[in-house]
Amino acid sequence: MRINQLLNLVAMGVLWLHVGAGCQQDPTLTDCKNGDCCWPKETNRFVRRLEGSRAGVLGSGFIFQDQLSSSQYGPVQSCLMCPVQADQINAMKLDDNMKDNVEYDGDGNFHLVDSTRAYPYQVWGTLYELTDIPKLTSAPVYVFRLDKAEKVH
């Protein structure tokens, strides 16, 4: 009797692992050709997931503490928000930390007034590259599909 119970338990465990492994693919971790996942009517090429990355809101985009990639023009640290999430992100009422935190010095340079407010959020989500849009430089154009944001200061 005990051996039958043990065999049933082992069989159920193996079945559960097999079924679970087949269902582990996250549908957001793919390119989306028609842009429905983020930027409509554009190819959104999956770049990577960001998990707990430090970021700030900058107008209609995010600026990250760590670089997303590099180009011949230097590090790329910013990306646009997914337009399909505009209402959802607006409802989160994320503070634009650059709006009242930047001053112009008159010589064409901008400086942070308070650098401790530079990256007030930890964010989780998916980074995509818009591959088919015309651009002025060779730097990639990134968009970020936000899953979660937490204020850290």
Side-chain angles (χ1 to χ4, degrees), residues 56-85:
V57 176
L58 179 62
S60 62
F62 291 99
I63 186 162
F64 291 88
Q65 184 174 20
D66 298 323
Q67 77 179 39
L68 302 172
S69 68
S70 59
S71 73
Q72 69 186 43
Y73 303 101
V76 177
Q77 291 180 270
S78 60
C79 65
L80 299 167
M81 294 178 191
C82 289
V84 298
Q85 289 189 301

Side-chain angles (χ1 to χ4, degrees), residues 7-23:
L7 287 175
N8 282 338
L9 185 61
V10 168
M12 289 303 290
V14 169
L15 181 61
W16 178 79
L17 285 173
H18 179 69
V19 170
C23 297

Side-chain angles (χ1 to χ4, degrees), residues 34 59 78 87 105 111 125 129 134:
N34 61 3
S78 60
D87 292 338
D105 68 6
H111 303 281
E129 180 181 0

